[in-house]
Amino acid sequence: MSERRAICPGSFDPITLGHIDIITRAAAMFDKITVVVMKNANKNSGSFTPEERKAFIEKTVGNIKNVEVDIYDGLLADYARQKNACAIIKGLRAMSDFEYEFQMALTNKKLNPEVETIFLTTSTENMYLSSSMVKQIASMGGDISSFVPEEILEEIIKRLKK
Ligand code: PNS
């Protein structure tokens, strides 16, 4: 049987413990996971460059042997085709995520019928965790140690503290 590859896409600005939970669980379900830093047209250019985000991801999940990290500036449906992926994995937090994620999943299915979107429910402790919340707390000198991995904590604090 051919290798079953899934894509974990996101803006990852920066990666949080919530993302890591989803990536780790996805890695246990597929032969290969590609975590890809992409642009979200509804968000501004962000606090970290795509290269910085990729480096943060590599530092935290790079030790999982079937996980690779990439950057792509284009449509997710095209990227999934290029990578011959059978699935796109997204984490679902509260119901507020649902409508937007549902719309993206249906659109991606239209653009690339070969790929399924699979939603993993977030762990309860990450239910309200988001990169934008982490950035806001860090910029005001708050404690983000329970939201981001230890390996990148200091770098994030240094960069975001005003
Ligand atoms: O972490 P995010 O911001 O929720 O991730 C959203 C992301 C980057 C996965 C989404 O915006 C995306 O797929 N961007 C790539 C461009 C694209 O394919 N847009 C059409 C989606 S229907």
Side-chain angles (χ1 to χ4, degrees), residues 9-11 38-40 43 74-76 90 100 104 107-108:
S11 4
M38 301 192 98
K39 273 194 191 139
N40 181 336
K43 292 181 181 169
L75 285 175
L76 175 55
K90 299 291 310 253
Y100 178 62
M104 280 205 293
T107 310
N108 284 325

Side-chain angles (χ1 to χ4, degrees), residues 8-13 19 36-43 72 74-78 90 93 100-101 103-108 111 131:
C8 287
S11 4
F12 302 109
D13 186 42
H19 294 126
V36 59
V37 177
M38 301 192 98
K39 273 194 191 139
N40 181 336
N42 299 320
K43 292 181 181 169
Y72 186 74
L75 285 175
L76 175 55
D78 291 341
K90 299 291 310 253
R93 291 168 297 187
Y100 178 62
E101 292 293 347
Q103 187 184 11
M104 280 205 293
L106 291 179
T107 310
N108 284 325
L111 296 174
S131 300

